[in-house]
Amino acid sequence: MSNPTTSAAPAGGGESIAPPSYFDEFECQRPEAREQRLMQRLPQLIAQLQDQGLAQAEMLGRVEAQRINSRAALAGLPVTRKHDLMQRQHAAHASGGDPFGGFSAIGWQGLLRPHGARRVFQSPGPLYEPEGRAANYWRMARALHAAGFRSGDLVHNSFSYHLTPAGAMMDGSAQALGCTVFPGGVGNTEQQLQAMLHLRPQAYTGTPSFLKILLERAIEHGHTLSLSKALLSGEALPWELHEWLRRQGVAAYQCYATADLGLIAYETRARQGLVLDEDLILEIVRPGGTEPLPEGEVGEVVITNLNPDYPLVRFGTGDLSAVLPGTSLCGRTNTRLKGWLGRADQSAKVRGMFVHAGQVADIARRLPELGRLRLVVRGQMSVDELVLRAELLQQPAPEGLAARAAEVVREVTRLRAEVELLPPGSLPNDGRLVDDTRPLP
């Protein structure tokens, strides 16, 4: 369900906004009150990790939980990424241990934590994720509500119910709103279309492409579907498709969620980015690194999830995005994301060696005189050239900086590289740290 791409409406393209109806009072609270509430809960989360002996407590080191009560303190902790989860889980599998690798506070009989899990899911890897027993465990109800879903609606859910949690995410939260759910799952287009014609659902959840297939198939057969609203995820929703859906009578919204975290952000009637879900602490960090970037810079989405069943501190999603300044015209006051802007785990193979985004982050830490950096791979596969393109923070460049930068690149990557020092603002703000420009073979 992750990696939706936000296609912003053209300037002035947001819908006219009627007096808003919020899911709860938290959506329009003062930002300072939200921040205070989150920072009060953060030390409690760290203490829970330590008290329950969860894996992240070991990874965080000997921190004093009560001191982690600010964004500055949080930024001093390591970032946990999906490969860390996978390594811990795989090591536990090999020894017959906890299938969650020590990250989950809930489980079933036979685990260190024997109670609490309602379901368990498997994502590619394999990687296992628990689902707790809360009625709105994945917190998708907030996104559904913003998309116009209300109690009494029939929701046609065409996300997968098999292995991965996407179907359960929407199903459980729709029921928590008071909706009725038809569990369509994926595929079986003709059967799903038949069910829609018979049951006349008001709402749809699934991917944009499958919704388009259903609507086109209905048109081919001379039918009009009853759908009037949709919450979409899992793939891009271009503005052109959004408008096509609107012409078919479907008001489509999108959300950004992952199997590890549940809902991260969601679209509202303002059509200006994605509003961050409550109970999450968002950071945008240098891809492959740990340090937060200034507002507006593109970087990796890092989330601290205050979920006591599956607590994750500074979890790197591997997705690129940036914070939009200001607040939404819909009245919701939480931070807004621009949407999915690519992947942070960039890499390329150069002269038999891999270079990756984490190495560029390491180079940046060693060269604080430089701003945005990009390792560019050019030439042919057999005759590779590696170039570090680096923005200066001040001009003229300090004497010997280019030579020192070349030496740092060699220390970090074990590869020789040319260095191009550029004026500030020369590199695009797109989060790309490794750019392989070689022609495909």
Side-chain angles (χ1 to χ4, degrees):
M1 184 178 287
S2 61
N3 300 2
T5 301
T6 297
S7 298
E15 299 170 18
S16 59
I17 301 172
S21 172
Y22 299 116
F23 177 72
D24 58 26
E25 71 277 6
F26 292 117
E27 293 184 350
C28 53
Q29 67 185 310
R30 290 182 300 107
E32 310 84 55
R34 176 183 293 109
E35 185 73 2
Q36 182 180 23
R37 178 173 58 86
L38 293 173
M39 292 304 122
Q40 285 176 344
R41 293 178 62 188
L42 183 57
Q44 299 169 16
L45 184 74
I46 304 296
Q48 178 196 344
L49 296 174
Q50 295 171 334
D51 292 343
Q52 296 183 349
L54 295 180
Q56 273 203 309
E58 176 189 339
M59 298 170 72
L60 296 177
R62 296 183 178 181
V63 299
E64 293 184 43
Q66 295 309 310
R67 291 182 179 272
I68 311 301
N69 59 2
S70 67
R71 287 184 179 268
L74 180 63
L77 302 180
V79 172
T80 298
R81 293 188 165 87
K82 194 175 289 284
H83 62 79
D84 297 312
L85 294 181
M86 198 169 297
Q87 287 175 359
R88 292 262 177 167
Q89 286 196 8
H90 289 185
H93 301 165
S95 61
D98 180 1
F100 299 118
F103 285 90
S104 175
I106 56 176
W108 54 85
Q109 186 175 348
L111 299 186
L112 293 175
R113 284 161 279 277
H115 302 293
R118 176 165 49 193
R119 298 186 182 97
V120 59
F121 296 100
Q122 183 195 79
S123 295
L127 191 63
Y128 296 98
E129 300 98 6
E131 178 186 18
R133 295 187 178 275
N136 182 30
Y137 176 79
W138 302 98
R139 310 180 317 284
M140 296 299 303
R142 192 180 303 280
L144 292 164
H145 190 274
F149 290 50
R150 295 294 184 270
S151 178
D153 285 344
L154 173 59
V155 178
H156 188 103
N157 184 18
S158 71
F159 279 117
S160 175
Y161 281 78
H162 178 61
L163 292 178
T164 58
M169 282 185 180
M170 291 295 185
D171 192 307
S173 293
Q175 291 188 53
L177 273 181
C179 300
T180 301
V181 179
F182 177 79
V186 297
N188 302 307
T189 304
E190 294 302 327
Q191 288 178 275
Q192 296 214 42
L193 182 58
Q194 182 184 64
M196 283 185 162
L197 293 171
H198 289 170
L199 299 175
R200 300 184 298 280
Q202 291 80 29
Y204 168 92
T205 54
T207 63
S209 59
F210 191 61
L211 176 57
K212 186 172 188 290
I213 288 171
L214 290 168
L215 288 167
E216 287 177 334
R217 194 69 59 86
I219 293 170
E220 288 173 10
H221 291 84
H223 300 303
T224 300
L225 294 183
S226 55
L227 296 175
S228 61
K229 47 201 166 188
L231 182 63
L232 309 174
S233 193
E235 59 189 33
L237 176 59
W239 185 250
E240 295 77 12
L241 178 54
H242 167 273
E243 286 296 283
W244 184 87
L245 293 172
R246 183 182 61 80
R247 291 193 295 272
Q248 311 313 311
V250 180
Y253 294 79
Q254 58 187 324
C255 67
Y256 169 31
T258 73
D260 318 281
L261 300 164
L263 178 66
I264 295 176
Y266 59 98
E267 192 173 23
T268 74
R269 294 186 65 185
R271 305 290 185 184
Q272 295 176 322
L274 303 177
V275 177
L276 185 68
D277 184 35
E278 306 294 332
D279 299 324
L280 301 178
I281 301 172
L282 166 74
E283 298 171 275
I284 302 293
V285 309
R286 190 184 301 277
T290 63
E291 65 273 23
L293 294 171
E295 183 176 294
E297 287 289 307
V298 174
E300 182 179 4
V301 176
V302 169
I303 297 291
T304 295
N305 185 6
L306 301 172
N307 173 5
D309 289 347
Y310 195 43
L312 291 171
V313 175
R314 300 202 85 197
F315 181 74
T317 64
D319 296 323
L320 293 177
S321 193
V323 169
L324 282 172
T327 55
S328 174
L329 292 176
C330 70
R332 292 172 177 83
T333 58
N334 210 343
T335 304
R336 295 176 300 161
L337 286 171
K338 285 186 177 179
W340 187 77
L341 302 178
R343 290 292 297 172
D345 47 357
Q346 308 152 30
S347 65
K349 196 170 188 179
V350 184
R351 299 170 219 151
M353 302 283 288
F354 277 102
V355 293
H356 52 81
Q359 291 173 318
V360 183
D362 191 10
I363 292 167
R365 282 192 292 272
R366 301 186 189 203
L367 295 167
E369 307 95 323
L370 299 176
R372 290 191 187 123
L373 305 179
R374 179 170 297 189
L375 277 176
V376 178
V377 188
R378 63 191 185 191
Q380 303 295 324
M381 285 292 180
S382 58
V383 191
D384 301 318
E385 295 180 3
L386 186 63
V387 180
L388 176 68
R389 306 192 74 212
E391 291 183 4
L392 293 167
L393 292 179
Q394 63 181 30
Q395 292 181 295
E399 186 176 350
L401 178 58
R404 187 155 55 88
E407 184 60 29
V408 169
V409 173
R410 188 175 182 184
E411 290 173 1
V412 172
T413 68
R414 301 182 185 177
L415 294 165
R416 295 183 184 273
E418 297 180 28
V419 174
E420 296 179 2
L421 299 179
L422 308 172
S426 298
L427 294 174
N429 179 25
D430 57 7
R432 180 163 291 281
L433 300 186
V434 178
D435 189 9
D436 191 346
T437 66
R438 295 170 295 187
L440 294 173

